[in-house]
Amino acid sequence: MPLMRGIPAMAAAGCLAVLALPMVTAQRTFTMPWWHPRLQNIAVNEIPGPSTHSPVDSLLTGVLNTLMNDDDEDHDQFDGPRGLIRRPDNIDNDHPNLDRIFIPAPPPANMAVSVGHYHPDVTASYRAGVPISNTHPNMMQLLARSLPSTHPNVDNQLRNPAANPLPWWHPPLAMFVSRRPIVRFTTSVSSFHENVDTAMAARRPISATHPSVHALFASVLSNNHPNLDQILRNPATNPLPSWHPPIENYIARRTAVQFSTPIGAYHPDADASFAAGTPISNAHPSVQILFASVLSPTHPNLDTILRDPVNNPFPAGHPPMSRYLNRRAPVNFQVSVSSFHDNVTTAFANNQPISSTHPSVQTLMASVLSPSHPNVDQILRNPAANPLPSWHPPLDGFTTARQAVQFTTRIGAYHPDPDASFAAGTAISNSHPSVHNLFAAVLSPTHP
């Protein structure tokens, strides 16, 4: 009676290179590949092996005689169309248990591929005929250390599972997957940030100036995760798989910003100017600094945006800028000037500077100027280099001319002509009466 009649089970697994039998040990056991199915079950149930099975007889030459109780009896052959692999015969009851003789090697260490906690059940997906996407990482490379050299291409099989059903003895695919724990991570966004899932579903890409999402999520992304920026900048060709968790799960919206900065009553409409592509001037106070206390670290530089609105359009859903502006009441203020004072608006338009002895206009108007207003004296002393913006109110609107002075002081008939003397540079003597005192009643407080 053949002692090893059930050994066809070794080959019945359908693997292309089933046995790599080593030497016989003292316990008369043999090591099979870790993925080979158990032989006792196959032998008892007479499960035939595939026609593509590797030869077994040559591997077992001299081995069977060691295991035989009766040296006079030859063991049946395994190979060939009539061998025990293709045409198994029922194993005898007194036959040794094959699983005690042919023992699978332990699986390779760390053979499982790390996947996200949300990754679909690979075994269920394969059985359902659900293919992996074209952008799925290369599984043949990831599993190279645990696959036999003759294994079919894993990627081809996973992309067409319906045409490549797994044989019954194949190890569960879940054995090759190590599921990572749930990601506990959110990134802070503004209260008005659009719903990312809605935008993705609508195939609306993020702007070129959007902060790098891949960099923000780098600490929790797997090494083989596709680049997030490439996905979000081209959602039409990078749809999320059905099993992917909502992106909003990783978003934490900040509370609405309760902030405003004061601006002049005559400041142009910020939203209308931006929509028209009108940049702020180089002399404009830094808006980035004004809003620094409420801007997120990833917010683009406001000055860069406002100086080039054409190339920095606001994303959809951005609140109007006017929400953060507090327009002051019109300035109801005028400086008294003499009746013969130049028209300030005309003089400025003609690039006519004020003299170095002119009273400080910055000081005169300090009570109504905003802290961010440029220095008025510097502007008036160099109007050519400091043109007023088109929306600035006329300068003469802040001056009121006094009435012409109706005043004379009597001088002697022999007194020299004051205009001619002054034009000639002739100074009055130190003993001359104080002219300032004589005219004190009609001089303005700012008159030299």
Side-chain angles (χ1 to χ4, degrees):
M1 168 170 48
L3 183 64
M4 297 292 291
R5 193 175 289 273
I7 222 169
M10 285 194 327
C15 305
L16 298 181
V18 174
L19 283 180
L21 289 177
M23 297 174 60
V24 181
T25 67
Q27 292 75 26
R28 297 191 299 182
T29 60
F30 304 87
T31 302
M32 299 187 301
W34 68 267
W35 39 265
H36 198 287
R38 296 301 181 109
L39 298 183
Q40 184 68 20
N41 175 63
I42 297 176
V44 170
N45 292 285
E46 301 185 18
I47 303 172
S51 59
T52 54
H53 197 288
S54 300
V56 172
D57 290 333
S58 59
L59 294 175
L60 296 177
T61 300
V63 172
L64 294 178
N65 291 334
T66 305
L67 297 174
M68 296 289 285
N69 291 333
D70 183 0
D71 292 338
D72 295 333
E73 184 175 7
D74 293 333
H75 197 286
D76 292 347
Q77 290 185 334
F78 295 99
D79 300 331
R82 294 185 175 275
L84 291 177
I85 292 178
R86 297 297 296 142
R87 300 181 66 177
D89 194 2
N90 185 33
I91 191 169
D92 294 334
N93 292 333
D94 59 348
H95 195 290
N97 189 302
L98 296 178
D99 292 339
R100 296 177 183 176
I101 302 174
F102 297 93
I103 302 172
N110 302 320
M111 72 174 181
V113 176
S114 176
V115 299
H117 68 277
Y118 48 81
H119 195 287
D121 184 296
V122 287
T123 302
S125 296
Y126 197 90
R127 288 176 177 170
V130 179
I132 61 173
S133 68
N134 290 331
T135 58
H136 193 284
N138 187 299
M139 294 304 299
M140 198 68 186
Q141 293 178 359
L142 294 173
L143 293 172
R145 62 185 302 170
S146 57
L147 293 176
S149 59
T150 55
H151 196 286
N153 187 286
V154 177
D155 296 302
N156 292 342
Q157 291 183 296
L158 293 174
R159 290 199 170 98
N160 192 1
N164 295 283
L166 295 180
W168 66 268
W169 49 263
H170 196 285
L173 296 183
M175 180 183 294
F176 303 95
V177 170
S178 173
R179 205 173 290 274
R180 295 186 296 274
I182 296 176
V183 174
R184 305 292 185 188
F185 177 86
T186 58
T187 187
S188 174
V189 300
S190 63
S191 59
F192 52 82
H193 195 290
E194 65 179 340
N195 185 289
V196 189
D197 293 310
T198 302
M200 186 80 183
R203 300 182 175 182
R204 189 162 54 247
I206 61 173
S207 69
T209 58
H210 193 287
S212 171
V213 183
H214 199 83
L216 291 173
F217 281 76
S219 63
V220 294
L221 291 176
S222 65
N223 294 334
N224 54 18
H225 194 289
N227 186 283
L228 294 182
D229 297 320
Q230 293 177 2
I231 293 173
L232 295 173
R233 288 198 171 104
N234 193 358
T237 57
N238 295 285
L240 296 182
S242 58
W243 44 261
H244 196 285
I247 304 177
E248 284 288 317
N249 287 1
Y250 308 106
I251 300 297
R253 276 179 175 72
R254 298 184 293 273
T255 55
V257 174
Q258 304 296 328
F259 176 87
S260 64
T261 187
I263 59 173
Y266 46 83
H267 192 289
D269 184 298
D271 296 309
S273 295
F274 194 87
T278 305
I280 60 173
S281 69
N282 291 332
H284 193 287
S286 171
V287 183
Q288 179 73 16
I289 294 176
L290 291 173
F291 282 77
S293 63
V294 294
L295 290 176
S296 69
T298 59
H299 195 289
N301 186 282
L302 293 181
D303 296 323
T304 302
I305 293 173
L306 294 175
R307 288 197 173 104
D308 188 10
V310 173
N311 292 315
N312 294 283
F314 284 160
H318 194 286
M321 288 185 286
S322 56
R323 179 181 299 179
Y324 307 107
L325 302 179
N326 180 20
R327 197 174 292 275
R328 293 187 293 268
V331 175
N332 187 13
F333 179 87
Q334 290 182 323
V335 175
S336 176
V337 298
S338 64
S339 60
F340 51 82
H341 194 288
D342 289 335
N343 181 286
V344 190
T345 302
T346 302
F348 196 88
N350 292 330
N351 294 329
Q352 179 181 331
I354 60 174
S355 69
S356 58
T357 60
H358 193 287
S360 170
V361 182
Q362 179 74 18
T363 302
L364 291 172
M365 305 196 72
S367 62
V368 294
L369 291 175
S370 69
S372 59
H373 195 288
N375 186 282
V376 179
D377 294 326
Q378 294 177 0
I379 293 174
L380 295 176
R381 287 196 176 105
N382 191 358
N386 296 282
L388 296 181
S390 60
W391 43 263
H392 197 285
L395 296 181
D396 58 357
F398 301 103
T399 61
T400 178
R402 295 187 296 275
Q403 291 182 345
V405 175
Q406 303 296 325
F407 176 87
T408 58
T409 186
R410 297 183 66 184
I411 58 175
Y414 49 82
H415 193 289
D417 183 308
D419 295 313
S421 296
F422 193 85
T426 304
I428 60 174
S429 68
N430 291 333
S431 61
H432 193 288
S434 171
V435 181
H436 195 82
N437 288 341
L438 292 172
F439 281 79
V442 294
L443 290 176
S444 69
T446 60
H447 196 290

